[in-house]
Amino acid sequence: MQDVAAAAGVSLASVSRVLRNPDSASPELTKRVQAAVDRLGYSPSPIASSMSGAHSPIVGVVVPTLANAFFSQSLQAMSSELENSGFQMMIGTHEYDDQREENAIRAFLRWNPVALIVTGIHHARGAVRLLSGAECPVYEMWDFTRRPVDNIIGFSMEGAGRAVAKHLIEKQRRNIVFVGHILARDPRARMRAEAFMETVRDHDGVEGHVVEVTERNVAAGDAILRRILKETPDVDGIAFSGDAVALGGLSAAADLGVRVPGDLSVIGFGDLDPGRASHPPLTTIRPPHREMGRLIAQSILRNATRPDTERQIVDLGFELIQRGST
């Protein structure tokens, strides 16, 4: 910065003002400083800025995995909103491991991020302590509660679990199954499964079961449907916790000669593109993937200029998209 100040013929404080808040400097000063920056190839160090007490331009995001298209759509929407702001997203994953999530949160907070985004509302005690003490806005996404750590923009997992059960029951299905992904480690799938079973218990004459898969792919869906039909041959409705697994179930049903939806109704979760082109097209829950990311990014940008902005507690809801599989 001293080199830039000397080259531009201005004070060090003027350079700092232009780089930190260009709107606060005159056009002439900004032009002179920017010309010197360009000529010298100067790039401000976010590490040095964070060490000096200012927030770095980093937006930290912690998601369970990048292999799940659900989360990638939210991340893409965030990135699109933030790309011209001067902020840079950094992403960490934890693969549904509480300790790894806590480690990722701690690592991001060392950078003094402008904001920190985490997935869901269930965190280990150490992670909650870190989030509660963070000196930047914290956002929880992909779930909803009226008592978040700070900001929350998401939707109800319990609501989604109840919705798929009610839909199958309304279709006169009386022996229904929820297929969930690693339920002991994935709290969002577990909440949907629990709400599914609560809804079953509220309806006389309906039986419900929960079955677990360890992968979120077509092969897992194919294998689990074959197993379900072998163990529970009178099953007539299945709700899968992800579209990819549901598509595997549809493939297995076709191979076994099981008519969908005649013999078996199938519903997914996620509204991924392949489900619209499957045979039959897949009924599914459509989460607000992109809207979550977009609104979180917009809130971060508002907070950056107006730190007194009211915190966000937003339930975006979801849609049940009925197609041919039910």
Side-chain angles (χ1 to χ4, degrees):
M1 285 177 64
Q2 289 176 333
D3 293 338
V4 170
V10 300
S11 69
L12 189 62
S14 294
V15 175
S16 178
R17 185 165 71 254
V18 169
L19 295 178
R20 290 182 184 277
N21 188 8
D23 292 340
S24 68
S26 69
E28 174 61 26
L29 176 60
T30 300
K31 183 177 179 180
R32 288 172 65 185
V33 170
Q34 191 59 53
V37 166
D38 293 341
R39 188 164 69 254
L40 296 174
Y42 172 67
S43 179
S45 167
I47 299 176
S49 295
S50 62
M51 289 174 65
S52 70
H55 285 298
S56 71
I58 291 168
V59 174
V61 188
V62 183
V63 293
T65 176
L66 293 177
N68 191 329
F70 302 164
F71 305 125
S72 63
Q73 292 186 40
S74 296
L75 295 175
Q76 186 175 9
M78 281 182 218
S79 180
S80 295
E81 292 288 331
L82 294 172
E83 63 184 2
N84 296 318
S85 67
F87 297 147
Q88 179 62 53
M89 283 173 52
M90 290 182 67
I91 302 167
T93 63
H94 56 73
E95 300 300 331
Y96 301 94
D97 183 301
D98 286 346
Q99 187 58 55
R100 286 182 61 181
E101 180 189 42
E102 183 177 334
N103 293 344
I105 292 168
R106 181 177 287 106
F108 278 130
L109 290 177
R110 291 187 184 126
W111 285 77
N112 283 357
V114 70
L116 181 59
I117 304 162
V118 294
T119 306
I121 58 176
H122 295 87
H123 315 284
R125 187 174 300 175
V128 172
R129 272 199 304 270
L130 290 169
L131 295 171
S132 300
E135 296 182 0
C136 66
V138 170
Y139 293 82
E140 292 167 294
M141 65 173 182
W142 276 92
D143 208 336
F144 185 77
T145 177
R146 290 288 174 189
R147 300 180 65 185
V149 172
D150 188 9
N151 302 276
I152 187 165
I153 298 177
F155 66 102
S156 169
M157 290 293 147
E158 295 97 332
R162 286 192 293 270
V164 293
K166 287 180 180 178
H167 182 71
L168 292 174
I169 293 168
E170 288 168 359
K171 296 298 178 179
Q172 304 303 311
R173 304 302 172 172
R174 293 296 177 262
N175 193 349
I176 60 180
V177 174
F178 183 94
V179 176
H181 174 246
I182 53 172
L183 298 173
R185 293 168 55 198
D186 184 345
R188 285 163 298 285
R190 184 170 65 248
M191 291 168 71
R192 296 199 301 274
E194 291 170 352
F196 179 95
M197 290 303 298
E198 287 173 5
T199 304
V200 168
R201 288 190 286 270
D202 289 340
H203 289 78
D204 294 334
V206 178
E207 290 189 22
H209 314 273
V210 174
V211 179
E212 189 170 16
V213 290
T214 57
E215 300 290 338
R216 291 182 184 269
N217 55 40
V218 171
D222 183 294
I224 200 64
L225 186 125
R226 293 172 188 272
R227 185 184 126 196
I228 291 169
L229 291 177
K230 184 177 180 180
E231 296 177 353
T232 316
D234 57 343
V235 64
D236 55 9
I238 302 180
F240 290 88
S241 64
D243 279 1
V245 188
L247 291 173
L250 286 180
S251 175
D255 187 49
L256 295 170
V258 176
R259 296 174 302 140
V260 177
D263 302 321
L264 179 70
S265 288
V266 174
I267 184 168
F269 179 91
D271 193 29
L272 304 180
D273 288 342
R276 303 170 196 178
S278 62
H279 183 72
L282 181 64
T283 295
T284 190
I285 294 288
R286 177 184 292 166
H289 312 90
R290 297 178 179 85
E291 187 73 356
M292 266 186 290
R294 186 177 66 82
L295 292 183
I296 289 171
Q298 290 176 353
S299 178
I300 290 170
L301 295 176
R302 284 196 302 271
N303 266 308
T305 56
R306 300 194 301 275
D308 58 344
T309 300
E310 188 173 317
R311 70 179 184 148
Q312 300 287 291
I313 301 178
V314 181
D315 182 357
L316 291 173
F318 57 86
E319 294 180 76
L320 192 153
I321 309 299
Q322 180 173 317
R323 300 193 181 105
S325 67
T326 60

